[in-house]
Amino acid sequence: MAKLKLSPKDNFIKLCAGEVPDYIPNWTMGGIWPPSGKRTDRPPALMGGPMIGPPPSPPEEGVPLTPFGRPTEYKDMWGVPYQANAETNWQGLPKPNEFILEDVTKWDQVIVKPVIDGPETKDWATMSVEGVKHIDRENIGVVSMIGNGPFQALMGFMGFTEGLVALVEEPEACKELLNWMADFYEPWIQPILDHYKPDFVYMLDDTAAKYAPFFSLSVFKDIFKPIYARYAKIAAEREIPIIFHNCGRCEDFMADYVDIGVKVWDPAQTSNDLLQVKADFKGKLAIAGAFDFVPDVNYNQVTEEEMKQKVRDTFDTFAQDGGYAFLGGYLGRSDEQEIAAQINTWINEEVDSYGYTFYD
């Protein structure tokens, strides 16, 4: 009789513990999914926990909606204007040339704390029961997002040009602003962990371009690492695995991520020396990704065998001896969604078949 393999939750826990999992997990930056969606005996892990901030407000009159029903222009709870269009694949990005903070030394005259009820006002017992009552916690993991991305927040306030200059010329003012924001987010973490009891926590901040970080390692250690450590502290003390999202070539920061308790890094893009990262942090840090797909030809010329071979090659290269979870697919432009869905079906079919038997 064949050995019954672990649920995706327990398999991912095994990965986070530095052990070789039963099969290659399929992580999606929001849950651990059955690779093709066909395996009903391996249900997904789900994001759980409250969203910190005011509820979405209806769009202003005359503002068109995206194909997904969200407004194409809106403001976040800190007052940053966002814009979504076909060129951004309908994802909201800070609106160009309408940045709200020009001088970081005057942040306290410009940036206003969101007017929302604090964590002490919440009925956590009821919220947590209602929030996860549909989840089979024996088999399905809960992932709670904690903190915020301080670098992305600063760039949202100032734009990249002024924001990066501010990090160099006014580091103390940047630290004051970002730690003041952390003072807002940090009190939410303990009640989330106390009541939702997540199996994993998720942190994120995109601090790198494709081939290099946006700032030096010394800036990372001085300004950003202490804030990440504030957010990670309670989860790390409770030995809840931390997953950290950071795009681009950010391998320089991995030792510091491990230092604050991070167990998995996504999306671990191929502009990093991923095999060296695996070797350097064997048993301490797993990579989720190593699958950056941009077609070499016109997107509608991509073949099924090409995509399935790419999955096999990725696993053969990066999944040996564990320390690896799959994360990948083809986003496609807004006018490519039909072929993107087909390409992703081929990818996930191979993740399911080859990944599920890889360690056998």
Side-chain angles (χ1 to χ4, degrees), residues 36 38 304 308 344-353:
S36 69
K38 295 177 181 177
E304 178 177 359
K308 292 188 173 182
N344 288 323
T345 296
W346 293 334
I347 290 170
N348 284 322
E349 285 175 351
E350 196 62 20
V351 173
D352 191 12
S353 58

Side-chain angles (χ1 to χ4, degrees), residues 282-293:
K282 184 176 176 61
K284 298 179 181 179
L285 180 74
I287 63 172
F291 193 90
D292 304 333
F293 175 64

